């Protein structure tokens, strides 16, 4: 069995692919041992105590956040998009930075909304209308230059799915090619847009690539739409990316629309998917595209545009938020995934991870990223279906125990973004068993944690403390049983945790460490959002405590990573602490800055 990377061969991937081959070889080496006698069994056991290890390249963790975007329709005032303030809060909570919308003329509310969102750090890809419209590319480019500060718009793209538009002429190819050339020439002639990337026009219904032909002269990037229609997330990705090479040979590709709808009573041929299944599939959908080096995947869309009490309107059921702006399970799943890897900052060269794997099924996929503090995040999932769109039934997926071997003793926290933000398991050692089924499993692999020194003599409790165990952290740790062999054990549970002698005095091993990366961002006049990451050391927190200027305290649950602040006084200091049943961590203070003015 091998651990396969979620991708195909492409230029610039040879280093990653070399790591894949080494990792696959390590997995295969561990599963080929098949003793036929007692002596052979003993020899096999001795051999697997030193499993074959491989050096696997990592990508910067924040590049996964950068690879995600969401479609919006802020010009539509008869939809929930009219509530831009509430949607800004939702976007901030989600952690997305890139949006895709259509450019319009003579809609001042639309311009103001995009300026406000841009001031909060969001960036837009804009669709440049359609062939034959009075909103010509030249007029649209002039409006972009006049209405938006530099940086709000980050890319432009050609007409959207013109090949299936009812307004298109029979000779849609000539119309679309002419329009794309006009977009290119207008953008390059205007200094404010001259350096913006230009995306090729996206085609509808997975068709028209051969007819449209090569648009590489007027496109910096390819552009694909891909909806799995209730099927597993990897469905047709490779075929669609291959087809787009006809339009933009040898150039990188964006997937500007993709996702699932939950109109379970629809009679449309576009099959529905239950909300709970979308929560399993959407993180995988992003990772499948990221693993293939798609520049950015834009989920369709942010919010359901119309109420649909009967569940029959599939066009109104793609949102991460419902029509009443309540989050769907997929919203929370994506928020948790992005929280795990969010790591903004200057560019850096991530370090490879030395790892071996045992018991990996052929459908196992992975993505490895690293944060600037040295923490690796290994994302595992299986390329399996958990739902049948024809029978509309859930499909059972039995977890497969995958054994991970690390070259150095490390602390590992196991997360499942689809089901919760807090880690559901932890261990410290050089190997652990991870059950992998249909959801993404994220392993946060920290640098080796040194054994804490004995408690200070000035502790309030003078009672002698028994000698500390070899590792005094409170996280579960593998016992000193032999390393796993090529055949997984009878249970998929993580390694057993050693017993420890509790003490009455809180120490660095029972208290949570301080939250990491506490930041604040102003969203508008007297509005801001606080963000933080879980502690890198100490016990697992059961919640967070925010000390508010003026003496108030705000308690947040363990899976919280943000707190929206209304009427936030500028130049005031807030503090964030991690807490558990033993006590609280040291406080991390941050000052709310004044909002920048343009």
């Amino acid at each position: 069995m091998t651990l396969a990377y979620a991708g195909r061969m492409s230029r610039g991937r040879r280093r990653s692919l070399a790591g894949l081959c080494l990792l696959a070889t390590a997995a295969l080496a561990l599963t080929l041992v098949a003793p036929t006698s007692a002596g052979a069994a003993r020899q096999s056991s001795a051999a697997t105590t030193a499993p074959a290890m491989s050096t696997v390249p990592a990508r910067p963790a924040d590049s996964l956040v950068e690879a995600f975007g969401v479609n919006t329709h802020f010009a539509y005032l008869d939809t929930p998009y009219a509530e831009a303030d509430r949607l800004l809060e939702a976007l901030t909570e989600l952690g997305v930075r890139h949006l895709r919308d259509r450019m319009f003329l003579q809609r001042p509310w639309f311009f103001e909304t995009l300026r406000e969102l841009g001031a909060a750090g969001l960036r837009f890809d804009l669709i440049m209308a359609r062939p034959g419209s009075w909103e010509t590319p030249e007029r649209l480019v002039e409006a972009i230059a006049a209405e938006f500060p530099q940086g709000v718009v980050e890319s432009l793209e050609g007409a959207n799915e013109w090949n299936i538009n009812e307004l298109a002429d029979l000779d849609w190819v000539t119309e679309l090619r002419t329009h794309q050339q006009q977009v290119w020439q207008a953008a390059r002639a205007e200094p404010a847009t001259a350096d913006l990337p230009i995306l090729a026009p996206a085609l509808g219904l997975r068709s028209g690539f051969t007819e449209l032909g090569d648009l590489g002269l007027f496109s910096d990037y390819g552009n694909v739409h891909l909806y799995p229609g209730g099927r597993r997330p990897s469905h047709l990705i490779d075929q669609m990316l291959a087809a787009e090479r006809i339009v933009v040979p040898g150039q990188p590709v964006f997937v500007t629309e993709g996702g699932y709808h939950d109109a379970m009573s629809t009679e449309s041929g576009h099959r529905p998917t239950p909300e709970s299944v979308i929560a399993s599939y959407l993180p995988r959908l992003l990772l499948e595209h990221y693993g293939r080096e798609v520049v950015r995947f834009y989920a369709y869309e942010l919010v359901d545009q119309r109420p649909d009490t009967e569940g029959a309107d599939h066009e109104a059921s793609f949102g991460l938020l419902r029509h009443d702006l309540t989050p769907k399970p997929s919203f929370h799943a994506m928020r948790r995934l992005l929280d795990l890897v969010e790591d903004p900052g200057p560019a850096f060269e991530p370090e490879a991870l030395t790892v071996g794997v045992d018991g990996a099924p052929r459908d196992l996929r992975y993505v490895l990223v690293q944060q600037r503090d040295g923490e690796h995040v290994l994302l595992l999932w299986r390329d399996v279906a958990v739902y049948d769109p024809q029978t509309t039934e859930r499909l059972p997926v039995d977890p497969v125990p995958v054994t991970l071997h690390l070259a150095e003793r490390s602390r590992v926290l196991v997360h499942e973004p689809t089901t919760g933000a807090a880690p559901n398991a932890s261990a410290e050692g050089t190997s652990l068993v991870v059950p992998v089924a249909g959801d993404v499993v994220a392993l946060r692999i920290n640098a080796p944690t040194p054994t804490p020194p004995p408690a200070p003599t000035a502790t309030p409790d003078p009672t002698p403390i028994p000698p500390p165990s070899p590792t005094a952290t409170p996280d579960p740790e593998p016992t000193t049983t032999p390393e796993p062999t090529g055949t997984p054990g009878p249970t998929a549970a993580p390694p057993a945790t050693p017993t420890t002698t509790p003490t009455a005095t809180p120490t660095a091993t029972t208290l949570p460490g301080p939250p990491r990366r506490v930041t604040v961002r102003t969203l508008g006049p007297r509005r801001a959002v606080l963000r933080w990451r879980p502690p890198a050391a100490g016990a697992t927190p059961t919640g967070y405590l925010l000390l508010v200027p003026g003496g108030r305290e705000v308690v947040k649950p363990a899976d919280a990573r943000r707190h929206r602040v209304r009427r936030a006084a500028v130049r005031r200091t807030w503090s964030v602490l991690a807490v558990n049943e033993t006590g609280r961590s040291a406080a991390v203070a941050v000052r709310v800055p004044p909002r920048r003015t343009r």
Side-chain angles (χ1 to χ4, degrees), residues 17-48:
L17 225 24
L20 161 62
C21 295
L22 288 172
L23 187 58
T25 301
L28 188 60
L30 286 171
T31 57
L32 284 179
V33 179
T36 56
S37 66
R42 286 193 297 272
Q43 183 178 6
S44 169
S45 176
T48 56

Side-chain angles (χ1 to χ4, degrees), residues 1-3 19-31 48 50-56 353-360 364 366 368 378 380 402-408 430-434 443 445 483-485:
M1 296 180 181
T2 58
L3 181 62
L20 161 62
C21 295
L22 288 172
L23 187 58
T25 301
L28 188 60
L30 286 171
T31 57
T48 56
M53 307 295 283
S54 308
T55 300
V56 182
L353 180 68
T354 301
V355 62
V357 66
D358 182 18
L364 190 67
Y366 81 93
L368 178 65
L378 179 60
L380 302 173
V402 176
T403 303
L404 190 71
H405 305 281
L406 302 170
E408 297 181 345
T430 56
S431 69
L432 74 158
V433 178
V434 183
L443 308 180
I445 305 171
E483 296 285 342
T485 64

Side-chain angles (χ1 to χ4, degrees), residues 106-345:
Q106 299 181 0
R107 301 196 184 189
W109 68 90
F110 176 72
F111 302 149
E112 179 59 32
T113 297
L114 265 61
R115 286 194 292 266
E116 184 71 17
L117 296 173
L122 292 160
R123 299 294 176 258
F124 282 85
D125 169 55
L126 293 180
I127 304 166
M128 300 294 280
R130 58 175 177 81
S133 171
W134 69 275
E135 295 176 313
T136 63
E138 293 80 5
R139 291 176 176 174
L140 293 173
V141 165
E142 290 176 2
I144 290 171
E147 297 291 347
F148 303 127
Q150 199 72 18
V152 173
V153 179
E154 63 179 347
S155 58
L156 307 175
E157 68 172 272
N160 188 63
E161 298 188 350
W162 187 245
N163 63 313
I164 61 171
N165 193 302
E166 61 183 9
L167 298 177
D169 191 81
L170 292 176
D171 190 11
W172 66 266
V173 170
T174 300
E175 292 178 325
L176 189 54
R177 292 184 64 87
T178 301
H179 183 264
Q180 182 68 14
Q181 182 176 352
Q182 293 170 346
V183 170
W184 176 275
Q185 292 172 342
R188 293 294 175 258
E190 166 58 52
T193 60
D195 295 328
L196 293 182
I198 307 297
L199 278 60
L203 298 173
L205 296 181
R206 302 194 291 270
S207 62
F209 299 94
T210 302
E211 295 87 339
L212 182 59
D214 188 348
L215 278 175
L217 288 177
F218 308 113
S219 308
D220 296 306
Y221 293 93
N223 184 2
V224 171
H225 290 179
L226 182 56
Y227 293 90
R231 303 175 184 88
R232 61 186 181 178
S234 63
H235 181 68
L236 293 182
I237 294 180
D238 291 322
Q239 294 89 326
M240 291 295 291
L241 295 180
E244 184 65 7
R245 296 193 197 105
I246 300 172
V247 181
V248 285
Q251 292 167 263
V253 176
F254 283 70
V255 175
T256 56
E257 286 186 24
Y260 299 85
H261 74 80
D262 52 40
M264 299 306 298
S265 299
T266 184
E267 296 181 359
S268 164
H270 191 149
R271 304 309 303 159
T273 311
E275 285 188 359
S276 61
V277 175
I278 299 175
S280 295
Y281 276 170
L282 196 57
R284 287 171 50 184
L285 191 59
L286 170 61
L287 292 170
E288 291 283 356
H289 287 89
Y290 178 80
R292 290 166 171 82
E293 294 192 341
V294 167
V295 179
R296 184 168 299 128
F297 165 78
Y298 289 86
Y300 192 90
E301 62 177 315
L302 178 60
V303 58
D304 292 344
Q305 295 186 38
R306 298 179 292 275
D308 182 27
T309 56
E310 296 181 357
D313 186 356
H314 74 283
E315 290 289 353
S317 304
F318 282 95
L320 295 170
L321 304 172
R322 302 181 184 92
H323 183 263
D324 62 2
L325 302 188
T326 57
K328 298 181 184 179
S330 55
F331 178 95
H332 293 301
M334 293 307 301
R335 172 180 61 83
R336 296 170 190 137
L337 176 62
L338 298 178
D339 277 343
L340 286 169
V341 296
E342 182 184 38
D343 186 34

